[in-house]
Amino acid sequence: MLREEPVARVGLDAIALKPKEHSLSDARELAVDTLCLDYEGREHLPDEATLDRLARDHDLLVTTPVRADGFDPLGDDSLVDSVPERAGRILVAGHPAYLTDEEKRRAIAPRLSAAREEAPDAWVGTEGVERVAMALGGTQYDLLSRGTANSVRAVRTTGFEGEIAVYAPVVVSDAEDEILDAAGPYTARRGVVRRALPDGAPDDSTATGRAREVLSAAVRDFALVGSQDEVRAQTDALREAGVDTVVGYPARGLAEFL
């Protein structure tokens, strides 16, 4: 009997890469068909040669924020040419942390629409622009939350037959401190969590009292955490709800998935 690869054991269909923290050369060894490259600012965007090497071994999807200079279809789109022809794109509005004040003020809907015309096979990030994304079609790419499964069931019930992908940090561990250190900072940036945390509270394993209670609950809403079997049960439940592709961000690094 063949030994199941680490990515498959927890039920992931794709791996999300962060160029600031993941070794992209190591990523080429991941036993998974699809890689999704997150955007963490123009200065961290890999060069075309690096992207091309990744795209040779995997189905590579590059996140391109339509409000950011370089990927703005209604303005400066000079970075689009750096995405290899063999790679696909994920169209997103762009996280405010990686945008200038001017970029944040740019209208999202017309830019997503224009970018979709240029890249008709692109995935479309849905957070905050669900109706716009649904209207544009293509694979709907959402961030995991407490209501994801119910939302997916609801759109499937209405007859939506398009592809749905869900992104979530993954921490395969039973140790609460390890889970909070890896997924706490990401989770604390989500609006509902940020508002629930006491002002100035830590967002990792050093949190105590009310802050720790909030974080411990939140990481289970916004991330896939727990033992291997527990994470697999969560990815299976998402697929049963109607999710086609579960994209996992290795919050503790790539090593455990190599």
Side-chain angles (χ1 to χ4, degrees):
M1 183 176 179
L2 293 176
R3 179 175 176 270
E4 196 173 24
E5 296 289 352
V7 178
R9 285 201 296 269
V10 293
L12 298 177
D13 303 297
I15 290 291
L17 302 173
K18 291 188 176 293
K20 284 172 61 176
E21 61 185 79
H22 293 149
S23 166
L24 299 187
S25 58
D26 287 346
R28 296 179 62 189
E29 305 303 320
L30 289 166
V32 64
D33 290 335
T34 303
L35 299 176
C36 300
L37 186 81
D38 286 354
Y39 181 84
E40 297 183 284
R42 186 172 185 145
E43 67 274 23
H44 298 291
L45 183 69
D47 59 37
E48 186 174 356
T50 299
L51 294 176
D52 190 64
R53 283 192 293 272
L54 283 173
R56 290 177 197 169
D57 303 319
H58 299 83
D59 295 327
L60 176 66
L61 297 170
V62 180
T63 299
T64 57
V66 298
R67 289 186 292 174
D69 287 338
F71 292 117
D72 181 356
L74 301 182
D76 174 6
D77 64 353
S78 57
L79 290 177
V80 172
D81 289 340
S82 68
V83 178
E85 287 188 10
R86 69 179 83 204
R89 292 171 62 189
I90 301 172
L91 308 177
V92 299
H95 194 289
Y98 306 125
L99 300 177
T100 65
D101 290 340
E102 179 186 348
E103 290 169 341
K104 293 173 192 175
R105 291 193 292 268
R106 292 173 181 167
I108 297 171
R111 285 175 166 79
L112 278 176
S113 181
R116 180 87 172 121
E117 289 183 11
E118 296 173 1
D121 296 326
W123 291 11
V124 182
T126 62
E127 189 190 22
V129 290
E130 289 86 353
R131 292 183 181 180
V132 173
M134 293 287 278
L136 293 175
T139 298
Q140 305 290 291
Y141 191 34
D142 200 9
L143 303 181
L144 179 67
S145 70
R146 180 187 300 175
T148 293
N150 287 337
S151 296
V152 172
R153 289 191 193 96
V155 298
R156 291 303 191 197
T157 299
T158 65
F160 179 74
E161 297 180 352
E163 296 284 311
I164 297 175
V166 171
Y167 173 106
V170 181
V171 185
V172 184
S173 174
D174 289 319
E176 190 69 6
D177 280 358
E178 292 181 0
I179 291 172
L180 294 181
D181 282 338
Y186 166 91
T187 303
R189 291 195 296 270
R190 303 298 293 270
V192 64
V193 183
R194 187 171 61 249
R195 291 188 292 272
L197 284 171
D199 290 343
D203 58 10
D204 56 18
S205 65
T206 62
T208 59
R210 170 65 177 164
R212 191 176 180 93
E213 292 176 6
V214 169
L215 277 178
S216 290
V219 292
R220 288 161 175 82
D221 290 334
F222 296 101
L224 302 169
V225 304
S227 68
Q228 178 180 291
D229 289 342
E230 288 171 332
V231 173
R232 182 58 185 257
Q234 294 166 65
T235 56
D236 285 347
L238 287 171
R239 264 183 288 274
E240 288 171 7
V243 172
D244 299 290
T245 304
V246 181
V247 182
Y249 149 52
R252 292 198 298 168
L254 298 180
E256 64 185 335
F257 292 109
L258 291 171

